[in-house]
Amino acid sequence: MVVPFVLASQSPARLATLRSAGIEPQVIVSNVDEDAVLAHARTTFEERARAGIGLPLALADQPYLLARAKADDVVARHAPDAIVLGCDSMLEFDGEILGKPGTPEVARERWRAMRGRNGVLHSGHALVDNRLERREETGQPTLAGDTSSTVVHFADLSDHEIDAYVATGEPLGVAGAFTVDGLGGPYVERIDGDFHGVVGVSLPLLRRLLRGLGVDIHELRHSG
């Protein structure tokens, strides 16, 4: 029997990655205010740090917090009898965490800074097991989560190449203003780590997280 699985993301790249692994999830897009979630988390962590009971929010932890918020939102609003996957990706560059640039101006500025250099792409993964059988066992949904981090080496692009890439519109809506599986592929010299994690969902990490919930990844495939 196939384990029901939900992807809490509208990312075509994440859906395509799962499909390439034989997984056809139900897609339910979360309704999360990402800026508000991060602002609240930063304030909370800073207050705890000042009180001497914790550290400030680490850059690499921010994508995971958003992934968790997305999965929790879908579980709370739709209550699917399924395992729900939330994901979020951000690029760590020059000591800052970068999400989607949003505008051509920001994308162009980022690429001029990134060209010929490298950054770390963090992809947070949060699995919430909301299956009825699991809730009956534990009394609540079960969580498993972690972050995939991969070093990305960018090509030394000319201004003309940057302008041409930004003009496609692709970098405006993706983490770090680049893709490795789309039009941005020629502009990434190499990666040190998990290719799928850079695309947005790490299949090896997903497998490990599922195992923590007592599920083998092949149980998500309709082909068995």
Side-chain angles (χ1 to χ4, degrees), residues 11 14 59-68 70 85-92 97-98 120-126 145-152 175-176 178 180 194-203 205-206 208-209:
S11 165
R14 292 192 179 107
L59 298 180
D61 291 338
Q62 295 182 34
Y64 172 72
L65 288 179
L66 290 180
R68 171 73 186 275
K70 292 175 181 179
L85 172 64
C87 295
D88 194 85
S89 299
M90 293 182 177
L91 179 71
E92 182 179 346
I97 199 78
L98 307 177
V120 181
L121 199 286
H122 301 291
S123 288
H125 298 58
D146 206 346
T147 298
S148 167
S149 299
T150 301
V151 179
V152 182
F178 76 97
V180 291
D194 180 13
F195 171 84
H196 294 109
V198 179
V199 175
V201 55
S202 167
L203 295 176
L205 176 55
L206 176 60
R208 293 195 298 272
L209 294 176

mmCIF file of all heavy atoms in Angstrom, residues 11 14 59-68 70 85-92 97-98 120-126 145-152 175-176 178 180 194-203 205-206 208-209:
data_model
loop_
_atom_site.group_PDB
_atom_site.id
_atom_site.type_symbol
_atom_site.label_atom_id
_atom_site.label_comp_id
_atom_site.label_asym_id
_atom_site.label_seq_id
_atom_site.Cartn_x
_atom_site.Cartn_y
_atom_site.Cartn_z
ATOM 1 N N SER A 11 6.716 24.770 -5.723
ATOM 2 C CA SER A 11 7.915 24.751 -6.552
ATOM 3 C C SER A 11 7.847 23.671 -7.624
ATOM 4 O O SER A 11 7.798 22.468 -7.298
ATOM 5 C CB SER A 11 9.148 24.510 -5.667
ATOM 6 O OG SER A 11 10.262 24.150 -6.450
ATOM 7 N N ARG A 14 10.858 21.205 -7.192
ATOM 8 C CA ARG A 14 10.719 20.187 -6.143
ATOM 9 C C ARG A 14 9.785 19.071 -6.604
ATOM 10 O O ARG A 14 10.062 17.880 -6.385
ATOM 11 C CB ARG A 14 10.211 20.819 -4.847
ATOM 12 C CG ARG A 14 11.211 21.746 -4.187
ATOM 13 C CD ARG A 14 10.803 22.129 -2.776
ATOM 14 N NE ARG A 14 11.816 22.996 -2.200
ATOM 15 C CZ ARG A 14 11.667 24.306 -2.004
ATOM 16 N NH1 ARG A 14 10.519 24.899 -2.319
ATOM 17 N NH2 ARG A 14 12.645 25.037 -1.492
ATOM 18 N N LEU A 59 22.205 31.323 10.663
ATOM 19 C CA LEU A 59 21.782 31.505 9.279
ATOM 20 C C LEU A 59 21.241 30.202 8.694
ATOM 21 O O LEU A 59 20.204 30.185 8.034
ATOM 22 C CB LEU A 59 22.953 32.007 8.431
ATOM 23 C CG LEU A 59 23.543 33.373 8.805
ATOM 24 C CD1 LEU A 59 24.686 33.725 7.863
ATOM 25 C CD2 LEU A 59 22.474 34.459 8.755
ATOM 26 N N ALA A 60 21.960 29.103 8.929
ATOM 27 C CA ALA A 60 21.576 27.821 8.333
ATOM 28 C C ALA A 60 20.265 27.279 8.886
ATOM 29 O O ALA A 60 19.652 26.395 8.274
ATOM 30 C CB ALA A 60 22.683 26.793 8.544
ATOM 31 N N ASP A 61 19.809 27.793 10.040
ATOM 32 C CA ASP A 61 18.571 27.308 10.644
ATOM 33 C C ASP A 61 17.326 27.979 10.068
ATOM 34 O O ASP A 61 16.206 27.476 10.246
ATOM 35 C CB ASP A 61 18.584 27.530 12.160
ATOM 36 C CG ASP A 61 19.592 26.643 12.870
ATOM 37 O OD1 ASP A 61 19.959 25.593 12.295
ATOM 38 O OD2 ASP A 61 20.028 27.004 13.978
ATOM 39 N N GLN A 62 17.502 29.115 9.402
ATOM 40 C CA GLN A 62 16.343 29.863 8.927
ATOM 41 C C GLN A 62 15.522 29.110 7.877
ATOM 42 O O GLN A 62 14.281 29.091 7.950
ATOM 43 C CB GLN A 62 16.789 31.224 8.415
ATOM 44 C CG GLN A 62 17.370 32.101 9.525
ATOM 45 C CD GLN A 62 17.772 33.477 9.057
ATOM 46 O OE1 GLN A 62 17.149 34.065 8.167
ATOM 47 N NE2 GLN A 62 18.824 34.024 9.649
ATOM 48 N N PRO A 63 16.151 28.463 6.886
ATOM 49 C CA PRO A 63 15.336 27.699 5.924
ATOM 50 C C PRO A 63 14.545 26.574 6.584
ATOM 51 O O PRO A 63 13.416 26.287 6.176
ATOM 52 C CB PRO A 63 16.372 27.156 4.931
ATOM 53 C CG PRO A 63 17.528 28.078 5.044
ATOM 54 C CD PRO A 63 17.568 28.487 6.486
ATOM 55 N N TYR A 64 15.125 25.941 7.604
ATOM 56 C CA TYR A 64 14.398 24.869 8.279
ATOM 57 C C TYR A 64 13.168 25.421 9.014
ATOM 58 O O TYR A 64 12.094 24.803 8.992
ATOM 59 C CB TYR A 64 15.281 24.122 9.273
ATOM 60 C CG TYR A 64 14.472 23.155 10.109
ATOM 61 C CD1 TYR A 64 13.969 21.990 9.539
ATOM 62 C CD2 TYR A 64 14.146 23.448 11.431
ATOM 63 C CE1 TYR A 64 13.173 21.130 10.279
ATOM 64 C CE2 TYR A 64 13.353 22.588 12.173
ATOM 65 C CZ TYR A 64 12.865 21.429 11.589
ATOM 66 O OH TYR A 64 12.067 20.586 12.320
ATOM 67 N N LEU A 65 13.309 26.568 9.652
ATOM 68 C CA LEU A 65 12.166 27.150 10.351
ATOM 69 C C LEU A 65 11.012 27.427 9.393
ATOM 70 O O LEU A 65 9.844 27.195 9.719
ATOM 71 C CB LEU A 65 12.577 28.444 11.054
ATOM 72 C CG LEU A 65 13.455 28.305 12.297
ATOM 73 C CD1 LEU A 65 13.791 29.681 12.856
ATOM 74 C CD2 LEU A 65 12.753 27.469 13.361
ATOM 75 N N LEU A 66 11.341 27.909 8.189
ATOM 76 C CA LEU A 66 10.298 28.156 7.189
ATOM 77 C C LEU A 66 9.701 26.852 6.680
ATOM 78 O O LEU A 66 8.494 26.764 6.457
ATOM 79 C CB LEU A 66 10.863 28.975 6.030
ATOM 80 C CG LEU A 66 11.212 30.428 6.346
ATOM 81 C CD1 LEU A 66 11.760 31.123 5.111
ATOM 82 C CD2 LEU A 66 9.985 31.180 6.868
ATOM 83 N N ALA A 67 10.555 25.844 6.486
ATOM 84 C CA ALA A 67 10.054 24.543 6.041
ATOM 85 C C ALA A 67 9.078 23.981 7.073
ATOM 86 O O ALA A 67 8.005 23.454 6.724
ATOM 87 C CB ALA A 67 11.223 23.580 5.827
ATOM 88 N N ARG A 68 9.442 24.102 8.343
ATOM 89 C CA ARG A 68 8.569 23.618 9.423
ATOM 90 C C ARG A 68 7.253 24.396 9.433
ATOM 91 O O ARG A 68 6.170 23.816 9.589
ATOM 92 C CB ARG A 68 9.299 23.774 10.760
ATOM 93 C CG ARG A 68 8.446 23.509 11.998
ATOM 94 C CD ARG A 68 8.145 22.036 12.195
ATOM 95 N NE ARG A 68 7.211 21.822 13.300
ATOM 96 C CZ ARG A 68 7.575 21.726 14.581
ATOM 97 N NH1 ARG A 68 8.860 21.826 14.926
ATOM 98 N NH2 ARG A 68 6.676 21.511 15.519
ATOM 99 N N LYS A 70 5.754 25.838 6.956
ATOM 100 C CA LYS A 70 4.943 25.458 5.801
ATOM 101 C C LYS A 70 4.250 24.126 6.026
ATOM 102 O O LYS A 70 3.057 23.967 5.721
ATOM 103 C CB LYS A 70 5.823 25.410 4.549
ATOM 104 C CG LYS A 70 6.337 26.767 4.110
ATOM 105 C CD LYS A 70 7.308 26.644 2.939
ATOM 106 C CE LYS A 70 7.850 28.002 2.524
ATOM 107 N NZ LYS A 70 8.810 27.908 1.392
ATOM 108 N N LEU A 85 5.516 17.163 3.580
ATOM 109 C CA LEU A 85 6.870 17.682 3.438
ATOM 110 C C LEU A 85 6.846 19.180 3.169
ATOM 111 O O LEU A 85 6.260 19.636 2.192
ATOM 112 C CB LEU A 85 7.594 16.978 2.285
ATOM 113 C CG LEU A 85 8.968 17.549 1.891
ATOM 114 C CD1 LEU A 85 9.972 17.403 3.032
ATOM 115 C CD2 LEU A 85 9.487 16.884 0.619
ATOM 116 N N GLY A 86 7.492 19.933 4.060
ATOM 117 C CA GLY A 86 7.711 21.358 3.831
ATOM 118 C C GLY A 86 9.179 21.590 3.528
ATOM 119 O O GLY A 86 10.050 20.953 4.134
ATOM 120 N N CYS A 87 9.473 22.473 2.594
ATOM 121 C CA CYS A 87 10.862 22.778 2.214
ATOM 122 C C CYS A 87 11.045 24.275 2.044
ATOM 123 O O CYS A 87 10.110 24.991 1.685
ATOM 124 C CB CYS A 87 11.242 22.099 0.894
ATOM 125 S SG CYS A 87 11.283 20.316 0.906
ATOM 126 N N ASP A 88 12.262 24.715 2.269
ATOM 127 C CA ASP A 88 12.621 26.094 1.958
ATOM 128 C C ASP A 88 14.124 26.173 1.723
ATOM 129 O O ASP A 88 14.894 25.467 2.388
ATOM 130 C CB ASP A 88 12.229 27.055 3.077
ATOM 131 C CG ASP A 88 12.301 28.505 2.612
ATOM 132 O OD1 ASP A 88 11.308 28.979 2.024
ATOM 133 O OD2 ASP A 88 13.352 29.145 2.798
ATOM 134 N N SER A 89 14.528 26.996 0.768
ATOM 135 C CA SER A 89 15.944 27.120 0.427
ATOM 136 C C SER A 89 16.393 28.577 0.492
ATOM 137 O O SER A 89 15.648 29.482 0.114
ATOM 138 C CB SER A 89 16.208 26.573 -0.986
ATOM 139 O OG SER A 89 15.879 25.212 -1.082
ATOM 140 N N MET A 90 17.621 28.771 0.965
ATOM 141 C CA MET A 90 18.227 30.094 1.014
ATOM 142 C C MET A 90 19.721 29.960 0.760
ATOM 143 O O MET A 90 20.327 28.945 1.089
ATOM 144 C CB MET A 90 18.005 30.763 2.377
ATOM 145 C CG MET A 90 16.576 31.121 2.693
ATOM 146 S SD MET A 90 16.454 31.950 4.308
ATOM 147 C CE MET A 90 14.708 32.318 4.362
ATOM 148 N N LEU A 91 20.299 31.007 0.191
ATOM 149 C CA LEU A 91 21.731 31.021 -0.073
ATOM 150 C C LEU A 91 22.447 31.827 1.003
ATOM 151 O O LEU A 91 22.085 32.979 1.262
ATOM 152 C CB LEU A 91 22.018 31.634 -1.446
ATOM 153 C CG LEU A 91 23.504 31.727 -1.831
ATOM 154 C CD1 LEU A 91 24.062 30.332 -2.128
ATOM 155 C CD2 LEU A 91 23.698 32.646 -3.040
ATOM 156 N N GLU A 92 23.452 31.228 1.620
ATOM 157 C CA GLU A 92 24.305 31.951 2.565
ATOM 158 C C GLU A 92 25.490 32.506 1.785
ATOM 159 O O GLU A 92 26.262 31.761 1.191
ATOM 160 C CB GLU A 92 24.787 31.029 3.671
ATOM 161 C CG GLU A 92 25.655 31.746 4.708
ATOM 162 C CD GLU A 92 26.114 30.825 5.822
ATOM 163 O OE1 GLU A 92 25.566 29.716 5.955
ATOM 164 O OE2 GLU A 92 27.036 31.230 6.561
ATOM 165 N N ILE A 97 21.993 35.703 4.685
ATOM 166 C CA ILE A 97 21.132 34.674 4.133
ATOM 167 C C ILE A 97 20.234 35.333 3.088
ATOM 168 O O ILE A 97 19.622 36.369 3.334
ATOM 169 C CB ILE A 97 20.300 33.979 5.230
ATOM 170 C CG1 ILE A 97 19.772 32.628 4.751
ATOM 171 C CG2 ILE A 97 19.237 34.861 5.785
ATOM 172 C CD1 ILE A 97 20.774 31.523 4.774
ATOM 173 N N LEU A 98 20.214 34.769 1.881
ATOM 174 C CA LEU A 98 19.504 35.379 0.764
ATOM 175 C C LEU A 98 18.401 34.463 0.262
ATOM 176 O O LEU A 98 18.637 33.294 -0.032
ATOM 177 C CB LEU A 98 20.471 35.668 -0.389
ATOM 178 C CG LEU A 98 21.725 36.483 -0.059
ATOM 179 C CD1 LEU A 98 22.602 36.608 -1.301
ATOM 180 C CD2 LEU A 98 21.344 37.861 0.476
ATOM 181 N N VAL A 120 26.821 29.031 0.103
ATOM 182 C CA VAL A 120 26.291 27.769 0.603
ATOM 183 C C VAL A 120 24.774 27.803 0.496
ATOM 184 O O VAL A 120 24.123 28.688 1.059
ATOM 185 C CB VAL A 120 26.693 27.516 2.067
ATOM 186 C CG1 VAL A 120 26.141 26.173 2.540
ATOM 187 C CG2 VAL A 120 28.210 27.557 2.222
ATOM 188 N N LEU A 121 24.228 26.844 -0.259
ATOM 189 C CA LEU A 121 22.782 26.755 -0.413
ATOM 190 C C LEU A 121 22.234 25.823 0.666
ATOM 191 O O LEU A 121 22.569 24.640 0.710
ATOM 192 C CB LEU A 121 22.443 26.225 -1.813
ATOM 193 C CG LEU A 121 21.024 26.446 -2.375
ATOM 194 C CD1 LEU A 121 20.017 25.542 -1.707
ATOM 195 C CD2 LEU A 121 20.597 27.897 -2.261
ATOM 196 N N HIS A 122 21.410 26.387 1.543
ATOM 197 C CA HIS A 122 20.777 25.616 2.613
ATOM 198 C C HIS A 122 19.334 25.307 2.224
ATOM 199 O O HIS A 122 18.574 26.217 1.882
ATOM 200 C CB HIS A 122 20.771 26.392 3.926
ATOM 201 C CG HIS A 122 22.119 26.794 4.425
ATOM 202 N ND1 HIS A 122 23.042 25.880 4.888
ATOM 203 C CD2 HIS A 122 22.708 28.020 4.540
ATOM 204 C CE1 HIS A 122 24.142 26.520 5.270
ATOM 205 N NE2 HIS A 122 23.958 27.806 5.069
ATOM 206 N N SER A 123 18.961 24.032 2.265
ATOM 207 C CA SER A 123 17.579 23.633 1.998
ATOM 208 C C SER A 123 17.022 22.922 3.224
ATOM 209 O O SER A 123 17.444 21.805 3.561
ATOM 210 C CB SER A 123 17.497 22.707 0.780
ATOM 211 O OG SER A 123 17.731 23.425 -0.414
ATOM 212 N N GLY A 124 16.104 23.590 3.900
ATOM 213 C CA GLY A 124 15.475 23.007 5.083
ATOM 214 C C GLY A 124 14.358 22.048 4.694
ATOM 215 O O GLY A 124 13.609 22.306 3.742
ATOM 216 N N HIS A 125 14.269 20.925 5.401
ATOM 217 C CA HIS A 125 13.252 19.910 5.158
ATOM 218 C C HIS A 125 12.537 19.609 6.471
ATOM 219 O O HIS A 125 13.194 19.334 7.482
ATOM 220 C CB HIS A 125 13.871 18.612 4.646
ATOM 221 C CG HIS A 125 14.581 18.732 3.337
ATOM 222 N ND1 HIS A 125 15.638 19.595 3.123
ATOM 223 C CD2 HIS A 125 14.384 18.076 2.163
ATOM 224 C CE1 HIS A 125 16.059 19.467 1.872
ATOM 225 N NE2 HIS A 125 15.323 18.554 1.268
ATOM 226 N N ALA A 126 11.218 19.650 6.450
ATOM 227 C CA ALA A 126 10.426 19.290 7.630
ATOM 228 C C ALA A 126 9.346 18.298 7.215
ATOM 229 O O ALA A 126 8.531 18.601 6.333
ATOM 230 C CB ALA A 126 9.796 20.520 8.256
ATOM 231 N N GLY A 145 13.064 16.401 10.847
ATOM 232 C CA GLY A 145 13.550 17.499 10.023
ATOM 233 C C GLY A 145 15.051 17.669 10.077
ATOM 234 O O GLY A 145 15.707 17.229 11.023
ATOM 235 N N ASP A 146 15.584 18.308 9.039
ATOM 236 C CA ASP A 146 17.013 18.594 8.971
ATOM 237 C C ASP A 146 17.248 19.524 7.782
ATOM 238 O O ASP A 146 16.329 19.842 7.027
ATOM 239 C CB ASP A 146 17.819 17.307 8.814
ATOM 240 C CG ASP A 146 19.247 17.429 9.344
ATOM 241 O OD1 ASP A 146 19.685 18.573 9.586
ATOM 242 O OD2 ASP A 146 19.915 16.399 9.489
ATOM 243 N N THR A 147 18.513 19.924 7.612
ATOM 244 C CA THR A 147 18.879 20.839 6.538
ATOM 245 C C THR A 147 19.993 20.255 5.689
ATOM 246 O O THR A 147 20.969 19.708 6.208
ATOM 247 C CB THR A 147 19.335 22.198 7.117
ATOM 248 O OG1 THR A 147 18.245 22.780 7.835
ATOM 249 C CG2 THR A 147 19.759 23.155 6.011
ATOM 250 N N SER A 148 19.843 20.369 4.379
ATOM 251 C CA SER A 148 20.883 19.983 3.426
ATOM 252 C C SER A 148 21.664 21.243 3.049
ATOM 253 O O SER A 148 21.068 22.252 2.662
ATOM 254 C CB SER A 148 20.243 19.369 2.169
ATOM 255 O OG SER A 148 21.177 19.260 1.116
ATOM 256 N N SER A 149 22.996 21.194 3.164
ATOM 257 C CA SER A 149 23.838 22.355 2.864
ATOM 258 C C SER A 149 24.885 21.986 1.820
ATOM 259 O O SER A 149 25.613 21.005 1.998
ATOM 260 C CB SER A 149 24.523 22.877 4.134
ATOM 261 O OG SER A 149 23.558 23.300 5.088
ATOM 262 N N THR A 150 24.956 22.763 0.752
ATOM 263 C CA THR A 150 25.829 22.458 -0.376
ATOM 264 C C THR A 150 26.560 23.710 -0.829
ATOM 265 O O THR A 150 25.941 24.772 -0.997
ATOM 266 C CB THR A 150 25.007 21.901 -1.554
ATOM 267 O OG1 THR A 150 24.324 20.724 -1.138
ATOM 268 C CG2 THR A 150 25.892 21.569 -2.744
ATOM 269 N N VAL A 151 27.866 23.607 -1.036
ATOM 270 C CA VAL A 151 28.662 24.733 -1.526
ATOM 271 C C VAL A 151 28.465 24.859 -3.034
ATOM 272 O O VAL A 151 28.607 23.883 -3.778
ATOM 273 C CB VAL A 151 30.151 24.545 -1.202
ATOM 274 C CG1 VAL A 151 30.965 25.716 -1.756
ATOM 275 C CG2 VAL A 151 30.349 24.423 0.311
ATOM 276 N N VAL A 152 28.144 26.064 -3.484
ATOM 277 C CA VAL A 152 27.907 26.341 -4.898
ATOM 278 C C VAL A 152 28.975 27.306 -5.404
ATOM 279 O O VAL A 152 29.170 28.380 -4.823
ATOM 280 C CB VAL A 152 26.508 26.958 -5.117
ATOM 281 C CG1 VAL A 152 26.260 27.206 -6.607
ATOM 282 C CG2 VAL A 152 25.428 26.062 -4.527
ATOM 283 N N ALA A 175 15.594 30.921 -4.883
ATOM 284 C CA ALA A 175 16.528 31.216 -3.795
ATOM 285 C C ALA A 175 17.932 31.458 -4.327
ATOM 286 O O ALA A 175 18.448 30.681 -5.133
ATOM 287 C CB ALA A 175 16.553 30.057 -2.803
ATOM 288 N N GLY A 176 18.539 32.561 -3.893
ATOM 289 C CA GLY A 176 19.895 32.871 -4.311
ATOM 290 C C GLY A 176 20.005 33.419 -5.714
ATOM 291 O O GLY A 176 21.113 33.672 -6.206
ATOM 292 N N PHE A 178 19.449 31.895 -8.591
ATOM 293 C CA PHE A 178 20.023 30.985 -9.584
ATOM 294 C C PHE A 178 19.332 29.635 -9.517
ATOM 295 O O PHE A 178 18.683 29.287 -8.530
ATOM 296 C CB PHE A 178 21.523 30.791 -9.348
ATOM 297 C CG PHE A 178 21.840 29.887 -8.182
ATOM 298 C CD1 PHE A 178 22.135 28.546 -8.376
ATOM 299 C CD2 PHE A 178 21.832 30.371 -6.879
ATOM 300 C CE1 PHE A 178 22.414 27.706 -7.298
ATOM 301 C CE2 PHE A 178 22.113 29.547 -5.804
ATOM 302 C CZ PHE A 178 22.400 28.202 -6.008
ATOM 303 N N VAL A 180 20.262 25.343 -10.814
ATOM 304 C CA VAL A 180 21.240 24.447 -11.438
ATOM 305 C C VAL A 180 20.563 23.537 -12.457
ATOM 306 O O VAL A 180 21.233 22.890 -13.253
ATOM 307 C CB VAL A 180 21.978 23.574 -10.399
ATOM 308 C CG1 VAL A 180 22.886 24.426 -9.542
ATOM 309 C CG2 VAL A 180 21.003 22.792 -9.542
ATOM 310 N N ASP A 194 25.120 17.848 -2.335
ATOM 311 C CA ASP A 194 23.972 17.176 -2.935
ATOM 312 C C ASP A 194 23.310 18.044 -4.005
ATOM 313 O O ASP A 194 22.741 19.088 -3.703
ATOM 314 C CB ASP A 194 22.971 16.825 -1.834
ATOM 315 C CG ASP A 194 21.731 16.124 -2.355
ATOM 316 O OD1 ASP A 194 21.735 15.689 -3.518
ATOM 317 O OD2 ASP A 194 20.760 16.004 -1.593
ATOM 318 N N PHE A 195 23.343 17.578 -5.247
ATOM 319 C CA PHE A 195 22.716 18.304 -6.353
ATOM 320 C C PHE A 195 21.235 18.529 -6.088
ATOM 321 O O PHE A 195 20.712 19.631 -6.287
ATOM 322 C CB PHE A 195 22.903 17.516 -7.654
ATOM 323 C CG PHE A 195 22.119 18.065 -8.817
ATOM 324 C CD1 PHE A 195 22.620 19.114 -9.574
ATOM 325 C CD2 PHE A 195 20.882 17.536 -9.152
ATOM 326 C CE1 PHE A 195 21.893 19.636 -10.642
ATOM 327 C CE2 PHE A 195 20.156 18.039 -10.216
ATOM 328 C CZ PHE A 195 20.666 19.090 -10.967
ATOM 329 N N HIS A 196 20.534 17.487 -5.648
ATOM 330 C CA HIS A 196 19.097 17.615 -5.430
ATOM 331 C C HIS A 196 18.775 18.617 -4.328
ATOM 332 O O HIS A 196 17.736 19.276 -4.368
ATOM 333 C CB HIS A 196 18.490 16.248 -5.097
ATOM 334 C CG HIS A 196 18.557 15.275 -6.223
ATOM 335 N ND1 HIS A 196 19.394 14.190 -6.207
ATOM 336 C CD2 HIS A 196 17.916 15.243 -7.415
ATOM 337 C CE1 HIS A 196 19.248 13.515 -7.332
ATOM 338 N NE2 HIS A 196 18.372 14.131 -8.088
ATOM 339 N N GLY A 197 19.683 18.731 -3.351
ATOM 340 C CA GLY A 197 19.474 19.715 -2.302
ATOM 341 C C GLY A 197 19.489 21.128 -2.852
ATOM 342 O O GLY A 197 18.756 22.003 -2.381
ATOM 343 N N VAL A 198 20.317 21.365 -3.873
ATOM 344 C CA VAL A 198 20.368 22.687 -4.499
ATOM 345 C C VAL A 198 19.099 22.940 -5.307
ATOM 346 O O VAL A 198 18.577 24.059 -5.347
ATOM 347 C CB VAL A 198 21.621 22.819 -5.395
ATOM 348 C CG1 VAL A 198 21.661 24.183 -6.070
ATOM 349 C CG2 VAL A 198 22.885 22.623 -4.558
ATOM 350 N N VAL A 199 18.580 21.902 -5.944
ATOM 351 C CA VAL A 199 17.326 22.040 -6.684
ATOM 352 C C VAL A 199 16.183 22.390 -5.732
ATOM 353 O O VAL A 199 15.258 23.125 -6.091
ATOM 354 C CB VAL A 199 17.013 20.749 -7.462
ATOM 355 C CG1 VAL A 199 15.652 20.849 -8.141
ATOM 356 C CG2 VAL A 199 18.102 20.486 -8.503
ATOM 357 N N GLY A 200 16.248 21.870 -4.505
ATOM 358 C CA GLY A 200 15.232 22.253 -3.538
ATOM 359 C C GLY A 200 14.735 21.163 -2.628
ATOM 360 O O GLY A 200 14.149 21.431 -1.582
ATOM 361 N N VAL A 201 14.943 19.891 -3.011
ATOM 362 C CA VAL A 201 14.573 18.796 -2.119
ATOM 363 C C VAL A 201 15.634 17.708 -2.237
ATOM 364 O O VAL A 201 15.866 17.147 -3.308
ATOM 365 C CB VAL A 201 13.155 18.238 -2.422
ATOM 366 C CG1 VAL A 201 13.001 17.811 -3.876
ATOM 367 C CG2 VAL A 201 12.822 17.078 -1.490
ATOM 368 N N SER A 202 16.319 17.444 -1.143
ATOM 369 C CA SER A 202 17.393 16.460 -1.115
ATOM 370 C C SER A 202 16.798 15.064 -0.977
ATOM 371 O O SER A 202 16.221 14.726 0.063
ATOM 372 C CB SER A 202 18.343 16.740 0.054
ATOM 373 O OG SER A 202 19.208 15.644 0.265
ATOM 374 N N LEU A 203 16.934 14.255 -2.009
ATOM 375 C CA LEU A 203 16.383 12.899 -1.961
ATOM 376 C C LEU A 203 17.078 12.024 -0.913
ATOM 377 O O LEU A 203 16.406 11.276 -0.190
ATOM 378 C CB LEU A 203 16.454 12.257 -3.348
ATOM 379 C CG LEU A 203 15.577 12.942 -4.412
ATOM 380 C CD1 LEU A 203 15.805 12.295 -5.771
ATOM 381 C CD2 LEU A 203 14.104 12.882 -4.033
ATOM 382 N N LEU A 205 18.449 13.036 1.891
ATOM 383 C CA LEU A 205 17.982 13.501 3.199
ATOM 384 C C LEU A 205 16.534 13.081 3.425
ATOM 385 O O LEU A 205 16.159 12.656 4.529
ATOM 386 C CB LEU A 205 18.120 15.018 3.298
ATOM 387 C CG LEU A 205 17.587 15.658 4.582
ATOM 388 C CD1 LEU A 205 18.208 15.022 5.819
ATOM 389 C CD2 LEU A 205 17.847 17.164 4.575
ATOM 390 N N LEU A 206 15.708 13.196 2.390
ATOM 391 C CA LEU A 206 14.312 12.766 2.508
ATOM 392 C C LEU A 206 14.244 11.290 2.895
ATOM 393 O O LEU A 206 13.443 10.907 3.755
ATOM 394 C CB LEU A 206 13.581 13.001 1.190
ATOM 395 C CG LEU A 206 12.129 12.502 1.123
ATOM 396 C CD1 LEU A 206 11.268 13.178 2.181
ATOM 397 C CD2 LEU A 206 11.556 12.731 -0.271
ATOM 398 N N ARG A 208 16.451 9.563 4.594
ATOM 399 C CA ARG A 208 16.842 9.388 5.992
ATOM 400 C C ARG A 208 15.736 9.846 6.943
ATOM 401 O O ARG A 208 15.477 9.208 7.970
ATOM 402 C CB ARG A 208 18.137 10.146 6.272
ATOM 403 C CG ARG A 208 19.346 9.582 5.551
ATOM 404 C CD ARG A 208 20.637 10.123 6.116
ATOM 405 N NE ARG A 208 20.772 11.568 5.993
ATOM 406 C CZ ARG A 208 21.284 12.168 4.928
ATOM 407 N NH1 ARG A 208 21.704 11.459 3.880
ATOM 408 N NH2 ARG A 208 21.404 13.486 4.890
ATOM 409 N N LEU A 209 15.094 10.956 6.619
ATOM 410 C CA LEU A 209 14.026 11.465 7.479
ATOM 411 C C LEU A 209 12.833 10.511 7.495
ATOM 412 O O LEU A 209 12.221 10.283 8.556
ATOM 413 C CB LEU A 209 13.584 12.850 7.006
ATOM 414 C CG LEU A 209 14.624 13.969 7.141
ATOM 415 C CD1 LEU A 209 14.076 15.265 6.551
ATOM 416 C CD2 LEU A 209 15.028 14.180 8.592
#
